[in-house]
């Protein structure tokens, strides 16, 4: 920052990249809390977005299978699995968060990435992948937060293994043909997500999706700091679609023209 304006980016090794405009795609909390200094405008923005909590922490079980799509015939869709009779989602979430060992996961999402990839078999013959995601709580892992990836200790590994087995049960229930072909699996905890992509509570979708968040005036491409722009899911909404759209909105703000309209009217 110079004279209240963004003038570039300083890398961790001290290298400075000067730039007429700076676009941050790392999320609003990280941008305001970690990239900016103590400037008054930055502090003001920080306080405003501080009110919005992170979205839910998640677990993801990444599974590698040693069989092709021909053998497994995996679905080319996603499964969203809710507890039997659990039509009150808020109640099933609450019960699980209060007593996770004695309540079912309030939602389990199973996705079949390799089955959806038309080029997969050319690159990885006789292999398939599955992902299983569910809700968790960062606090359940907080005691290991200052340990290192893959060196977090036996208790942590045992805890993860127990959770992995619970999730695998869902896969065997819904896609039983996978049972003899699981070669490897690895569970990401909120600490893994923090380690790899810097989401501090292992949140799956950046900021929480509350009505307040969508009314928030700071969550937009332009910021109160001249030449500093935001992009990414936090300024639109969760998911690849939201992140993709945010790029168009930020480009539109910088270029002062409606890039979305340009693309929609462009003949392919
Ligand atoms: C397990 C999982 C499965 C998902 N599945 C789906 C799905 O099936 N469909 C869907 O639509 N969405 C899915 N999502 C959500 C989707 O991945 C996100 O909504 C989307 O990636 C957000 O894009 P983004 O560019 O805003 O942020 P990100 O993709 O999170 O990119 C932010 C980047 O900033 C980097 N970063 C952080 N701090 C710094 C720093 N200080 N300096 C430099 N770089 C930094 C991070 O490493 C990261 O690469 C999934 C998310 C998870 C975690």
């Amino acid at each position: 920052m110079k004279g209240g304006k963004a003038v570039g980016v300083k890398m961790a090794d001290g290298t400075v990249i000067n730039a007429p405009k700076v676009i941050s795609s790392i999320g609003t909390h990280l941008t305001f809390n970690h990239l900016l200094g103590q400037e008054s405008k930055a502090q003001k923005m920080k306080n405003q977005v501080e009110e919005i909590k992170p979205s839910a922490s998640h677990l993801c079980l990444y599974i590698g299978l040693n069989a092709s799509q021909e053998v497994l015939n995996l679905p080319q869709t996603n499964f969203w699995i809710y507890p039997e009779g659990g039509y009150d989602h808020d109640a099933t979430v609450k019960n699980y968060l209060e007593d996770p060992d004695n309540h079912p996961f309030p939602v389990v999402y199973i996705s079949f990435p390799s089955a959806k990839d038309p080029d997969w078999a050319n690159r990885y013959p006789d292999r398939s992948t599955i992902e299983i995601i569910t809700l968790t709580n960062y606090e359940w892992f907080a005691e290991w937060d200052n340990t290192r990836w893959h060196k977090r200790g036996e208790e942590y590994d045992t805890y993860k293994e127990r959770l992995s087995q619970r999730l695998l049960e869902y896969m065997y229930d819904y896609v039983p043909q996978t049972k003899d072909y699981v070669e490897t699996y690895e569970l990401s905890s909120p600490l893994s997500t923090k380690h790899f992509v810097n989401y501090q509570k292992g949140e799956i979708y950046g900021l929480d999706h509350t009505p307040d968040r969508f009314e928030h005036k700071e969550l937009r491409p332009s910021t109160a700091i001249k030449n500093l722009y935001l992009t990414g899911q936090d300024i639109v909404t969760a998911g690849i679609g939201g992140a993709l759209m945010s790029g168009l909105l930020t480009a539109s703000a910088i270029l002062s023209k409606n890039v979305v309209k340009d693309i929609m009217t462009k003949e392919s």
Side-chain angles (χ1 to χ4, degrees):
M1 300 280 296
K2 215 179 246 172
K5 297 178 190 169
V7 292
V9 181
K10 191 181 202 175
M11 311 305 281
D13 70 358
T15 308
V16 174
I17 301 170
N18 294 312
K21 299 205 187 301
V22 177
I23 306 170
S24 174
S25 66
I26 69 168
T28 44
H29 278 161
L30 286 176
T31 303
F32 297 145
N33 289 328
H34 297 282
L35 294 193
L36 298 174
Q38 302 301 315
E39 298 84 7
S40 60
K41 277 183 190 166
Q43 282 303 318
K44 201 171 148 216
M45 290 195 299
K46 183 177 154 180
N47 294 340
Q48 281 165 340
V49 293
E50 206 70 63
E51 295 159 13
I52 310 173
K53 301 282 169 256
S55 56
S57 307
H58 73 283
L59 299 171
C60 183
L61 188 67
Y62 298 88
I63 303 154
L65 303 112
N66 52 16
S68 66
Q69 176 64 356
E70 282 72 47
V71 173
L72 293 172
N73 193 25
L74 296 174
Q76 292 177 308
T77 184
N78 304 324
F79 290 174
W80 290 90
I81 303 161
Y82 296 88
E84 214 167 300
Y87 299 115
D88 183 347
H89 185 61
D90 290 341
T92 58
V93 169
K94 186 170 174 285
N95 292 339
Y96 165 74
L97 290 177
E98 281 173 6
D99 184 6
D101 289 336
N102 292 305
H103 289 94
F105 295 121
V107 58
V108 172
Y109 165 92
I110 309 186
S111 158
F112 307 91
S114 59
K116 296 176 199 164
D117 180 350
D119 189 46
W120 177 267
N122 298 328
R123 289 173 294 135
Y124 305 103
D126 305 319
R127 292 277 183 275
S128 297
T129 63
I130 296 179
E131 281 175 24
I132 312 180
I133 301 177
T134 194
L135 176 72
T136 192
N137 185 344
Y138 162 82
E139 299 306 330
W140 300 339
F141 297 86
E143 64 182 283
W144 296 286
D145 200 348
N146 53 6
T147 58
R148 283 172 54 212
W149 178 57
H150 272 190
K151 293 191 177 13
R152 300 197 196 277
E154 209 180 306
E155 215 185 319
Y156 173 81
D157 292 341
T158 307
Y159 182 34
K160 280 214 315 184
E161 179 57 19
R162 191 154 53 83
L163 294 166
S164 301
Q165 291 303 329
R166 268 183 82 177
L167 289 170
L168 283 171
E169 283 307 315
Y170 282 82
M171 184 177 79
Y172 298 142
D173 242 18
Y174 284 83
V175 271
Q177 69 272 33
T178 56
K179 192 133 199 176
D180 295 330
Y181 299 101
V182 174
E183 186 169 296
T184 182
Y185 58 85
E186 186 164 358
L187 186 79
S188 76
S189 77
L191 304 185
S192 330
T193 304
K194 181 176 177 180
H195 172 78
F196 285 104
V197 271
N198 217 1
Y199 288 107
Q200 298 295 301
K201 301 283 174 185
E203 58 267 37
I204 186 165
Y205 288 138
L207 295 175
D208 203 3
H209 289 68
T210 58
D212 280 356
R213 173 243 166 102
F214 290 105
E215 285 180 355
H216 215 287
K217 301 258 184 312
E218 302 301 327
L219 300 178
R220 45 186 289 161
S222 304
T223 70
I225 294 174
K226 198 164 165 40
N227 298 334
L228 174 67
Y229 294 84
L230 301 176
T231 200
Q233 60 188 349
D234 283 359
I235 64 157
V236 181
T237 190
I240 304 301
L244 189 71
M245 201 62 192
S246 74
L248 294 176
L249 293 185
T250 305
S252 297
I254 291 174
L255 298 169
S256 298
K257 72 186 278 219
N258 188 345
V259 177
V260 182
K261 196 170 146 208
D262 281 1
I263 288 178
M264 298 300 277
T265 51
K266 196 171 176 167
E267 284 175 29
S268 54

